[in-house]
C-alpha cells in the first residue's frame, strides 16, 4: 500500500501531463493505479478513461501506445467528468477494491465484503432520476427476470464491480513479460495457482492384485518396463518376448525336433506332450488368478471364477472318460507308444483288432479325413463313422398330422391372437422402432413407407435378400 | 406345405383382426372340426384337419391348393388378402357397407365406392377399418377399407370416396391377378 501511495502522489502530477501530451503506457498504468487510492472525485472520470484507454491498448500490438489515441481519450473523459461526478453514488461501486489475481488461470478475485444494503437497494426511483438510460436498463437478460423477484438485486452495482475486476485483471496482464511471435505480441502467463475442482468424481481406487499386495508387504520392487525384443545368443537374432507362435522365433522347445531325456524323466513319456500339458496348466492357472483378481476388484461378478474352474474340470473329466470309452469299445486305435513296448498296465491288444484300429486311424488321418483318398488294391472299405448323431427333424418339416401336434398348434395360435388383440409390449416396441408403417391404421400396412422390406425372408442368407436389379429409368417409379 | 411360424401367424391375425376383430378366435376354435392354417409357397390356406391329413399323401410338387386360400405373403413379408377369403370375412365381419344397385356394377368392376353409391354403413366405423361390402340383398360383394369414419361420411361430397376397393367378386371373371388361381 505504501508503494501505491507514493506512486499516487507522483501520478497526480503526471496525470496533468497525460491529459495534455502523449505518454507511454507505463505512465498511463500509473495514472490508473491512482484509482486504487481513496480519491473518489475523479474516480468516475478515471474509470471511463481507463476503460477507453484499455480498449485502445488492446487494439494495438505495441506496448507503447500512440499519443493521438490516448490524448483523444483523455479529452473525451474531460468533457464527461463535471456531469458524472456529482450524480452517481460512487461509494457503492467497487473502485476502491483491489482484487487478487491468478494470472495463470486468468482469474481476478474480488474478496471484499459486499454491502448488503447497497446490494438490495434495487430500483428506487430517486436513484434512477439522474441516471443515463443505459444504466437503468438491466445489463443482462437474466437480470431483467431477476428484477421481478421479491428482493431485486442491484444489478448495475454488480456489473460495475465486475467491470472493475476485469479492468484490473487486464492491467495486470499488461504487466507480464511479453514475447514477440509471428502471431503478434504474446504475454507469458505464470503457472496457475488455484486448483480448479474436478468436473467428474474421481475414479475409485484400484484394488491391488494378490501379487501386488504381497510385493507391497515384502517390499519387492516392481519389475519395471521390459524392452519388446531380446537378443537371443543361440540364434543371434532379436526375438520378441511375447507374440504369436507362428513366428518361428517364439515357438520354444515344442518346435525342437529332438528333446533330451533328463535324469528324472520317464523315458516312455512323450516330452512334447508333457510340454503341451504344462503349458495348458500354466495358462489355466493364469486365467484363474486373473479372474480372481478381477473378482476381488469388483470388475467381475463374485463366483464366476469358481464356476469357470468347475466347468473346466468337468469338461476335462468328460473328455478323458470319452476317450477311455472309445478305447474300450475298440473304436479308436491305441496311440502313442506301440503296443509291444508298453510296460504292463493296459491290456496289450495284439493281433487283428489292433491292426484294424490302426488301419482305420491311418485312413482318416488326412486333411479331408480320408474322404477323397484313392484306395489301394486289397484295402478294406473305409468305414464311415457310425457315431454321427441323427438329427431330430422339426415337425413342421415332416408331415405334422398327429392330434397332439394340432392341439399344441391351436394353443399357440390362441396365444398369438391374444397378443395381437391385446396389444403386446413387443408390438409397441416395434412401432417405435419403425417396423410398422407410419401410422397405426389398417390401410397403412399396405402403404409403401420407403423403409424397405420387412424381416420376412423366404430363403436364408444372401439368397433371401433378393436379386439386385440395375436401377433403370423404368424402375424409377 | 408347412404350418406358419410365429411371425407369419402374427401378421395373418393382425390382418384378419382388422376385418373381424375378436372373431378370429372363432376361426381357430371351431365347434365342428378343428381347422388350421398351412402355407404352400407363400399362400395361406385355411383347411380342416381331415383335409390336411389327406393332403399330406399327395406329392408336394403336384399339390396346388387345399382348402380355402385366404391370401398370400408378399416378398417383403406383408400379408395380402384375396377374394377367396370373402366367405369367412363376411361371416364374422365387424363393419359392413351396403351398396345401392347403381353402384354395384361400378364396384364389381374394381372402382372405389363413392358416397352417392352408399346405402348403409355400420355405425362407429373407424377410419381405415376393414369393411365388407354387401348388396342390398345381403350378398357379399367384396371387401375394402373405409376411407372415412361413419360420421365424416355424412358431410362428404357425393363424389368422394367412402370405401377403398381391395377385392371384389368380379375378379373371378376378370382374372386380374394372374397368379391368384
Amino acid at each position: 500500500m505504501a508503494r501505491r501511495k507514493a506512486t499516487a502522489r507522483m501520478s497526480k502530477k503526471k496525470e496533468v501531463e497525460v491529459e495534455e501530451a502523449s505518454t507511454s503506457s507505463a505512465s498511463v498504468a500509473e495514472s490508473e493505479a491512482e484509482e486504487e487510492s481513496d480519491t473518489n472525485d475523479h474516480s468516475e472520470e478515471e474509470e471511463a478513461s481507463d476503460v477507453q484507454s484499455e480498449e485502445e491498448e488492446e487494439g494495438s500490438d505495441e506496448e507503447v501506445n500512440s499519443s493521438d489515441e490516448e490524448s483523444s481519450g483523455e479529452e473525451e473523459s474531460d468533457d464527461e467528468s463535471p456531469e458524472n461526478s456529482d450524480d452517481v453514488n460512487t461509494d457503492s461501486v467497487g473502485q476502491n477494491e483491489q482484487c487478487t489475481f491468478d494470472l495463470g488461470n486468468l482469474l481476478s478475485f474480488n474478496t471484499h465484503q459486499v454491502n448488503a444494503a447497497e446490494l438490495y437497494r434495487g430500483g428506487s426511483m430517486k436513484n434512477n432520476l439522474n441516471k443515463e438510460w443505459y444504466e437503468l436498463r438491466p445489463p443482462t437478460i437474466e437480470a431483467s427476470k431477476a428484477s421481478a423477484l421479491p428482493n431485486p438485486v442491484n444489478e448495475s452495482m454488480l456489473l460495475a464491480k465486475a467491470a472493475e475486476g476485469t479492468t484490473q485483471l487486464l492491467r495486470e496482464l499488461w504487466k507480464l513479460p511479453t514475447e514477440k511471435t509471428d502471431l503478434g505480441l504474446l504475454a507469458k502467463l505464470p503457472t496457475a495457482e488455484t486448483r480448479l475442482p474436478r468436473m467428474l468424481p474421481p475414479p475409485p481406487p484400484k484394488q491391488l492384485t494378490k501379487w501386488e499386495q504381497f510385493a507391497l508387504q515384502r517390499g519387492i520392487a516392481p519389475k519395471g518396463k521390459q524392452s519388446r525384443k531380446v537378443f537371443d545368443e543361440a540364434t543371434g537374432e532379436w526375438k520378441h518376448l511375447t507374440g504369436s507362435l507362428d513366428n518361428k522365433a517364439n515357438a520354444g522347445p515344442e518346435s525342437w525336433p529332438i528333446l533330451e531325456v533328463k535324469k528324472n524323466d520317464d523315458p516312455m513319456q512323450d516330452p512334447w506332450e508333457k510340454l503341451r500339458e504344462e503349458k495348458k496348466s500354466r495358462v489355466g492357472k493364469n486365467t484363474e488368478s486373473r479372474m480372481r483378481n478381477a473378482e476381488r476388484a469388483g470388475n467381475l461378478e463374485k463366483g464366476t471364477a469358481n464356476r469357470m474352474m468347475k466347468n473346466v474340470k468337468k469338461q476335462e473329466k468328460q473328455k478323458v472318460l470319452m476317450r477311455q470309452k472309445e478305447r474300450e469299445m475298440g473304436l479308436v486305435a491305441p496311440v502313442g507308444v506301440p503296443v509291444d513296448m508298453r510296460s504292463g498296465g493296459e491290456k496289450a491288444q495284439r493281433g487283428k483288432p489292433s491292426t484294424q484300429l490302426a488301419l482305420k486311424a491311418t485312413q482318416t488321418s488326412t486333411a479331408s479325413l480320408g474322404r477323397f483318398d484313392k484306395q489301394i488294391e486289397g484295402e478294406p472299405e473305409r468305414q464311415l463313422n457310425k457315431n454321427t448323431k441323427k438329427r431330430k427333424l422339426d415337425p413342421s418339416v415332416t408331415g405334422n398330422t398327429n392330434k397332439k401336434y394340432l392341439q399344441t398348434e391351436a394353443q399357440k395360435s390362441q396365444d398369438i391372437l391374444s397378443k395381437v388383440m391385446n396389444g403386446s409390449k413387443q408390438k409397441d416396441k416395434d412401432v417405435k422402432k419403425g417396423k410398422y408403417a407410419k401410422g397405426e391404421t389398417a390401410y397403412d400396412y399396405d402403404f409403401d413407407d420407403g423403409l424397405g422390406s420387412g424381416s420376412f425372408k423366404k430363403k436364408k442368407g444372401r439368397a433371401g435378400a433378393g436379386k439386385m436389379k440395375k436401377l433403370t429409368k423404368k424402375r424409377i417409379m | 406345405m408347412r404350418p406358419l411360424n410365429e411371425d407369419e401367424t402374427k401378421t395373418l391375425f393382425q390382418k384378419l383382426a382388422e376385418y373381424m376383430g375378436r372373431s378370429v378366435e372363432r376361426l381357430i376354435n371351431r365347434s365342428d372340426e378343428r381347422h388350421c392354417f398351412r402355407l404352400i409357397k407363400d399362400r395361406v390356406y385355411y383347411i380342416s384337419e381331415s383335409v390336411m391329413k389327406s393332403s399330406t399323401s399327395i406329392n408336394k410338387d403336384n399339390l396346388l391348393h387345399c382348402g380355402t386360400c385366404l391370401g398370400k405373403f408378399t416378398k417383403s413379408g406383408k400379408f395380402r388378402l384375396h377374394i377367396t377369403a370373402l366367405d369367412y370375412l363376411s361371416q364374422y365381419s365387424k363393419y359392413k357397407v351396403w351398396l345401392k344397385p347403381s353402384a354395384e356394377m361400378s364396384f364389381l368392376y374394381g372402382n372405389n365406392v363413392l358416397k352417392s353409391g352408399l346405402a348403409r354403413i355400420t355405425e362407429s366405423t373407424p377410419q381405415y377399418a376393414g369393411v365388407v361390402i354387401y348388396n342390398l340383398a345381403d350378398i357379399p360383394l367384396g371387401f375394402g377399407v373405409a376411407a372415412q369414419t361413419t360420421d365424416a361420411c355424412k358431410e362428404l361430397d357425393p363424389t368422394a370416396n367412402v370405401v377403398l376397393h381391395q377385392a371384389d367378386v368380379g375378379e373371378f371373371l376378370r382374372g386380374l391377378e394372374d397368379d391368384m388361381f
Side-chain angles (χ1 to χ4, degrees):
Chain A
M1 279 306 284
R3 185 161 162 269
R4 289 248 161 65
K5 281 199 174 154
T7 54
R9 256 179 266 132
M10 256 198 329
S11 58
K12 250 199 167 167
K13 250 192 266 171
K14 279 198 179 167
E15 216 212 30
V16 179
E17 290 170 49
V18 160
E19 284 169 18
E20 290 167 322
S22 62
T23 49
S24 65
S25 68
S27 62
V28 170
E30 282 171 31
S31 73
E32 288 153 357
E34 194 196 326
E35 291 171 352
E36 297 152 15
S37 65
D38 293 331
T39 52
N40 293 328
D41 297 295
H42 303 289
S43 47
E44 183 68 0
E45 165 209 316
E46 281 158 13
E47 190 187 29
S49 71
D50 181 31
V51 172
Q52 281 169 2
S53 53
E54 282 295 326
E55 287 168 8
E56 287 153 49
E57 281 177 47
E58 281 163 37
S60 64
D61 275 342
E62 300 287 321
E63 275 203 36
V64 182
N65 288 330
S66 60
S67 54
D68 297 328
E69 293 173 328
E70 265 184 70
S71 49
S72 63
E74 254 52 72
E75 279 163 350
E76 276 172 53
S77 62
D78 251 347
D79 291 334
E80 288 176 348
S81 56
E83 293 171 8
N84 287 344
S85 53
D86 299 78
D87 297 340
V88 181
N89 211 338
T90 51
D91 283 333
S92 57
V93 192
Q95 266 87 17
N96 322 325
E97 298 171 357
Q98 171 62 20
C99 304
T100 50
F101 302 100
D102 176 13
L103 293 171
N105 279 324
L106 296 179
L107 288 172
S108 68
F109 303 98
N110 184 342
T111 47
H112 297 269
Q113 230 188 14
V114 177
N115 190 340
E118 297 281 332
L119 184 62
Y120 289 108
R121 193 176 291 182
S124 67
M125 280 308 288
K126 239 197 284 179
N127 280 356
N128 290 348
L129 276 175
N130 293 320
K131 279 191 179 166
E132 300 290 319
W133 63 271
Y134 47 79
E135 288 172 43
L136 287 175
R137 279 174 76 232
T140 57
I141 299 170
E142 273 77 39
S144 61
K145 284 189 202 158
S147 56
L149 294 174
N151 293 328
V153 170
N154 191 356
E155 293 286 337
S156 49
M157 182 187 100
L158 290 175
L159 181 65
K161 287 211 180 206
E164 173 63 24
T166 324
T167 52
Q168 286 183 18
L169 174 67
L170 290 170
R171 205 184 303 142
E172 288 296 315
L173 287 174
W174 274 103
K175 290 183 189 165
L176 287 172
T178 55
E179 59 179 306
K180 247 190 179 172
T181 60
D182 53 352
L183 297 167
L185 198 68
L186 295 178
K188 284 193 211 154
L189 294 175
T191 51
E193 287 154 14
T194 38
R195 285 190 76 206
L196 297 171
R198 287 177 85 78
M199 186 174 85
L200 300 165
K206 264 197 213 170
Q207 270 266 9
L208 295 174
T209 62
K210 201 109 192 266
W211 165 254
E212 281 172 2
Q213 279 175 6
F214 180 75
L216 208 65
Q217 214 184 34
R218 291 293 207 91
I220 303 168
K223 235 198 269 184
K225 279 205 173 175
Q226 288 178 317
S227 56
R228 236 180 270 170
K229 287 200 181 182
V230 174
F231 190 71
D232 183 18
E233 299 278 341
T235 48
E237 282 174 355
W238 282 94
K239 291 194 186 157
H240 291 269
L241 271 178
T242 55
S244 68
L245 292 174
D246 294 345
N247 203 355
K248 267 199 222 166
N250 291 324
E254 297 157 358
S255 64
W256 300 344
I258 302 174
L259 282 171
E260 293 172 353
V261 176
K262 301 222 177 89
K263 234 198 223 178
N264 298 327
D265 272 356
D266 177 14
M268 293 303 144
Q269 199 205 22
D270 187 357
W272 293 277
E273 190 71 53
K274 186 172 165 209
L275 284 169
R276 243 178 286 150
E277 278 170 18
E278 279 176 4
K279 176 154 192 176
K280 252 192 180 177
S281 74
R282 263 183 286 136
V283 166
K285 214 170 139 226
N286 211 341
T287 48
E288 193 197 338
S289 55
R290 269 201 296 131
M291 285 181 93
R292 286 203 198 279
N293 278 329
E295 264 182 37
R296 215 175 294 122
N299 296 336
L300 216 60
E301 259 190 41
K302 295 233 168 188
T304 48
N306 285 335
R307 252 181 280 147
M308 195 197 80
M309 294 314 298
K310 258 200 226 171
N311 230 3
V312 163
K313 277 192 196 157
K314 200 168 58 165
Q315 278 179 356
E316 279 187 14
K317 266 196 207 166
Q318 276 184 348
K319 257 197 213 172
V320 169
L321 281 175
M322 280 297 294
R323 276 199 211 121
Q324 265 189 1
K325 256 196 202 173
E326 282 179 349
R327 246 176 264 154
E328 278 166 29
M329 294 205 296
L331 297 168
V332 178
V335 286
V337 182
V339 171
D340 302 357
M341 297 193 66
R342 229 173 269 156
S343 52
E346 280 178 66
K347 295 183 212 163
Q349 291 178 6
R350 303 196 73 181
K352 196 173 176 191
S354 105
T355 326
Q356 276 184 336
L357 289 175
L359 174 66
K360 193 172 168 213
T362 48
Q363 273 178 338
T364 53
S365 46
T366 53
S368 54
L369 298 178
R371 279 184 70 185
F372 307 112
D373 293 337
K374 287 187 204 151
Q375 306 263 37
I376 316 172
E377 248 190 76
E379 189 183 337
E381 271 292 317
R382 227 177 295 131
Q383 280 177 343
L384 299 163
N385 201 352
K386 290 181 204 161
N387 270 359
T388 48
K389 275 192 205 167
K390 199 170 184 187
R391 275 191 305 163
K392 207 178 176 187
L393 287 173
D394 198 21
S396 64
V397 174
T398 58
N400 38 18
T401 51
N402 58 345
K403 252 194 180 149
K404 213 180 181 184
Y405 178 78
L406 288 173
Q407 256 180 359
T408 53
E409 195 193 331
Q411 189 57 44
K412 270 191 211 169
S413 346
Q414 279 274 43
D415 295 336
I416 293 171
L417 178 63
S418 62
K419 265 196 210 172
V420 165
M421 295 309 300
N422 302 331
S424 57
K425 262 192 208 173
Q426 189 58 40
K427 188 185 171 189
D428 293 333
K429 276 192 200 169
D430 285 344
V431 169
K432 271 192 190 167
K433 273 189 197 173
K435 260 194 189 171
Y436 288 91
K438 291 176 195 159
E440 296 168 4
T441 61
Y443 195 61
D444 289 348
Y445 293 132
D446 284 336
F447 175 69
D448 176 27
D449 36 318
L451 292 175
S453 60
S455 55
F456 173 68
K457 276 189 178 176
K458 194 174 173 185
K459 293 186 185 166
K460 273 196 215 175
R462 282 176 62 213
K467 223 176 184 179
M468 291 219 309
K469 296 209 170 110
K470 184 176 171 183
L471 194 67
T472 57
K473 259 195 259 178
K474 261 194 182 174
R475 294 216 180 89
I476 303 171
M477 279 287 207
Chain B
M1 180 159 95
R2 65 171 177 88
L4 302 173
N5 68 22
E6 209 181 302
D7 288 328
E8 291 162 354
T9 335
K10 215 189 278 186
T11 325
L12 171 69
F13 285 164
Q14 270 166 3
K15 196 72 185 208
L16 290 175
E18 287 159 22
Y19 289 85
M20 302 198 271
R22 289 218 155 255
S23 309
V24 182
E25 209 187 325
R26 277 196 252 168
L27 278 184
I28 308 171
N29 301 331
R30 274 166 78 113
S31 49
D32 45 0
E33 200 184 353
R34 191 185 285 129
H35 282 61
C36 51
F37 299 98
R38 286 289 179 275
L39 263 182
I40 301 178
K41 277 193 185 174
D42 289 344
R43 282 175 207 271
V44 176
Y45 292 93
Y46 180 62
I47 32 181
S48 67
E49 204 184 300
S50 50
V51 170
M52 192 203 54
K53 278 195 185 161
S54 29
S55 68
T56 52
S57 55
I58 304 174
N59 189 0
K60 211 169 47 166
D61 305 325
N62 297 335
L63 180 66
L64 287 177
H65 307 274
C66 54
T68 323
C69 175
L70 290 181
K72 75 177 206 180
F73 280 102
T74 61
K75 287 274 194 291
S76 61
K78 303 193 171 119
F79 183 68
R80 179 168 269 289
L81 273 172
H82 285 174
I83 187 62
T84 42
L86 182 64
D87 199 22
Y88 295 102
L89 287 185
S90 60
Q91 271 179 34
Y92 302 119
S93 64
K94 266 194 352 186
Y95 307 112
K96 304 180 192 191
V97 163
W98 286 264
L99 294 186
K100 290 183 190 161
S102 52
E104 256 182 65
M105 281 311 289
S106 165
F107 179 71
L108 289 177
Y109 274 114
N111 303 317
N112 296 330
V113 177
L114 308 176
K115 194 195 166 191
S116 52
L118 186 69
R120 257 190 297 164
I121 184 167
T122 43
E123 269 198 16
S124 66
T125 317
Q127 197 185 25
Y128 305 137
V131 137
V132 178
I133 293 160
Y134 293 88
N135 197 344
L136 278 178
D138 268 339
I139 303 169
L141 297 176
F143 52 87
V145 171
Q148 305 288 342
T149 56
T150 321
D151 303 325
C153 282
K154 298 174 191 167
E155 291 133 30
L156 284 176
D157 309 342
T159 52
N161 276 340
V162 163
V163 174
L164 301 161
H165 169 283
Q166 278 195 339
D168 66 273
V169 176
E171 279 176 18
F172 286 111
L173 290 175
R174 277 178 287 141
L176 254 188
E177 296 188 37
D178 298 315
D179 59 347
M180 199 156 78
F181 304 115

